[in-house]
Amino acid sequence: MDYKSGLIQDGNPMENLEKQLICPICLEMFTKPVVILPCQHNLCRKCANDIFQAANPYWTNRGGSMSMSGGRFRCPSCRHEVIMDRHGVYGLQRNLLVENIIDIYKQECSSRPLQKGSHPMCKEHEDEKINIYCLTCEVPTCSMCKVFGAHKACEVAPLQNVFQGQKTELSNCISMLVAGNDRVQTIITQLEDSCRVTKENSHQVKETLSQKFDVLYAILDEKKSELLQRITQEQEEKLSFIEALIQQYQEQLDKSTKLVETAIQSLDEPGGATFLLVSRTRKAWAGIVEASKGCQLGKIEPGFENMDYFTLDLEYIADTLRAIDFGTDEEEEEFIEEEDQKEEESAEGKEEGKKFISLHSFIPSSLHSFHNNMRYLL
């Protein structure tokens, strides 16, 4: 609190000093003991205790039956939150400097004569000080107005009594407002904490959900790669088998072509002796017959090139994915029970010979077992 700068700026240092010594709660000069808050503002200990009790209604004074460890309230000047220990306001440090200044100020005021005009005077009776309060008209007035003037028939009371009563009432109102502000500030703090916790929980749930979907994506990618690999393997086996047949037929074709050329050359021989020597009798014809029989080396069955048995029934899985939603534990248990029941029914259907193609299809690993195992595809 900068007393010096305020005193220099004001033409009347004593009046300015008095303003600096006014308690913001009771609006009167500080009453000893004066306590200083952590924010460096001062309060009468009584006023500090009033607002502390209003902000902490369940905290008890010294000697009370209840025991609590500390409490809190807000400075009425700057709204700084003051956190108390178990001693309450009695744990606050006294400001001895301010108390000494108050003592010096009171001594100075008592030694100085009352200046004219320092006390308000009655407008109707210029020589009379305003010293009573008209309760009927609710205005301060002087004794002459009560005896001879406009307030002759009104009810009056001593000015000081009304003054103290209204100041006390105002102080109580201020304490209630301060306590109300503290409660509102507490609610605001709680709501802000709720916002923060809500954001944190939402972020955590989003992260968990994203991780679960990432796991699903990984499973789908892995299964996709696996199934594609199995199709590729089947394709390579079929192509290898077909290419081997082509190679065999091509070799047989080359042999037959050479034999045909030899037979044609034999037919061109005009002489019988020469013809018989070239063709070496019946062995050459036997080679031609065997070559013609070579066309029965091997063949593929009709539909060998089809890959339709790699069909997946994903409709029910797609329906399950579309039905994904947030639910309670009870709903999840019911879903698991339904899935178990479906699996049991599916197992019974398999035993009865109801074979169908699904995600877990069995794909033959060799061409030899392809036709025999195709009806067992699941």
Side-chain angles (χ1 to χ4, degrees):
M1 190 179 296
D2 193 355
Y3 297 101
K4 186 175 180 181
S5 60
L7 295 175
I8 293 175
Q9 295 175 2
D10 200 319
N12 192 336
M14 295 301 292
E15 291 183 2
N16 187 68
L17 178 60
E18 182 180 3
K19 294 178 182 178
Q20 300 294 330
L21 300 176
I22 296 298
C23 174
I25 300 299
C26 63
L27 302 180
E28 294 183 358
M29 186 174 295
F30 289 117
T31 302
K32 294 191 295 184
V34 180
V35 294
I36 183 170
L37 305 180
C39 57
Q40 303 302 312
H41 289 110
N42 298 287
L43 294 174
C44 306
R45 180 185 286 175
K46 179 181 180 302
C47 297
N49 188 61
D50 290 341
I51 62 175
F52 176 72
Q53 292 292 338
N56 303 270
Y58 298 105
W59 195 91
T60 57
N61 290 325
R62 292 180 174 179
S65 58
M66 295 180 59
S67 62
M68 290 187 63
S69 58
R72 60 185 66 197
F73 68 95
R74 292 188 179 274
C75 172
S77 299
C78 65
R79 308 301 302 155
H80 176 78
E81 186 175 41
V82 181
I83 301 176
M84 313 299 296
D85 58 14
R86 61 187 180 87
H87 300 290
V89 296
Y90 295 95
L92 294 173
Q93 184 178 359
R94 291 180 60 177
N95 195 335
L96 300 179
L97 175 61
V98 173
E99 293 181 5
N100 293 334
I101 292 174
I102 292 173
D103 292 338
I104 295 173
Y105 174 79
K106 289 182 177 180
Q107 292 176 3
E108 180 67 19
C109 290
S110 61
S111 63
R112 295 176 62 184
L114 185 62
Q115 297 180 0
K116 185 177 181 180
S118 61
H119 192 92
M121 309 299 287
C122 180
K123 294 181 179 180
E124 299 294 333
H125 309 89
E126 297 180 356
D127 295 333
E128 293 291 330
K129 296 179 180 180
I130 295 178
N131 55 5
I132 62 175
Y133 186 82
C134 178
L135 299 176
T136 304
C137 302
E138 297 184 351
V139 293
T141 184
C142 69
S143 301
M144 295 300 294
C145 290
K146 170 59 179 173
V147 178
F148 305 105
H151 302 282
K152 184 177 180 179
C154 298
E155 182 181 358
V156 296
L159 184 65
Q160 190 65 22
N161 293 346
V162 177
F163 167 70
Q164 292 296 337
Q166 291 191 3
K167 289 193 70 174
T168 301
E169 183 180 355
L170 182 59
S171 298
N172 294 335
C173 291
I174 293 175
S175 299
M176 293 176 62
L177 289 174
V178 170
N181 291 341
D182 288 340
R183 287 191 289 270
V184 172
Q185 184 62 44
T186 301
I187 294 174
I188 293 175
T189 302
Q190 292 175 350
L191 293 176
E192 290 175 348
D193 291 340
S194 298
C195 290
R196 177 181 55 79
V197 174
T198 300
K199 291 180 180 179
E200 292 176 355
N201 292 340
S202 299
H203 179 72
Q204 182 178 359
V205 171
K206 289 179 180 179
E207 288 291 331
T208 303
L209 183 63
S210 298
Q211 292 174 2
K212 290 183 178 180
F213 271 89
D214 290 340
V215 172
L216 291 179
Y217 299 152
I219 294 174
L220 290 175
D221 288 339
E222 181 180 358
K223 180 57 66 175
K224 175 183 176 181
S225 300
E226 177 186 346
L227 297 180
L228 290 176
Q229 179 63 30
R230 292 162 72 176
I231 295 174
T232 302
Q233 181 179 355
E234 186 75 8
Q235 172 188 340
E236 291 176 353
E237 291 180 358
K238 285 191 174 185
L239 292 179
S240 297
F241 181 77
I242 295 174
E243 289 172 357
L245 289 179
I246 293 175
Q247 181 66 26
Q248 293 177 13
Y249 278 104
Q250 185 64 46
E251 292 176 356
Q252 188 63 41
L253 178 62
D254 293 340
K255 292 180 181 180
S256 298
T257 302
K258 290 180 180 179
L259 289 174
V260 169
E261 292 177 353
T262 302
I264 292 174
Q265 291 176 0
S266 298
L267 291 175
D268 292 338
E269 292 295 334
T274 304
F275 172 79
L276 294 175
L277 289 173
V278 173
S279 61
R280 295 181 181 180
T281 65
R282 300 179 63 86
K283 292 183 178 180
W285 302 110
I288 296 174
V289 173
E290 291 295 329
S292 62
K293 292 181 179 180
C295 295
Q296 304 297 324
L297 287 175
K299 64 179 180 178
I300 59 176
E301 297 294 334
F304 177 81
E305 65 278 3
N306 291 336
M307 306 289 281
D308 296 340
Y309 50 87
F310 286 103
T311 301
L312 299 179
D313 183 11
L314 299 178
E315 186 61 30
Y316 76 98
I317 295 181
D319 293 338
T320 302
L321 293 176
R322 295 188 190 98
I324 291 178
D325 198 357
F326 301 106
T328 60
D329 294 338
E330 296 180 357
E331 293 177 349
E332 292 179 357
E333 292 177 358
E334 292 178 358
F335 176 77
I336 293 174
E337 292 177 357
E338 292 178 358
E339 290 298 319
D340 294 339
Q341 185 177 0
K342 290 180 180 179
E343 291 179 359
E344 293 177 358
E345 294 176 354
S346 176
E348 294 175 356
K350 293 175 185 177
E351 294 176 359
E352 295 173 359
K354 296 180 180 179
K355 312 301 180 182
F356 60 94
I357 299 174
S358 67
L359 255 182
H360 304 285
S361 301
F362 170 76
I363 298 177
S365 58
S366 65
L367 290 170
H368 178 71
S369 60
F370 167 71
H371 292 287
N372 293 331
N373 293 330
M374 186 174 178
R375 60 191 181 90
Y376 295 105
L377 289 174
L378 302 179

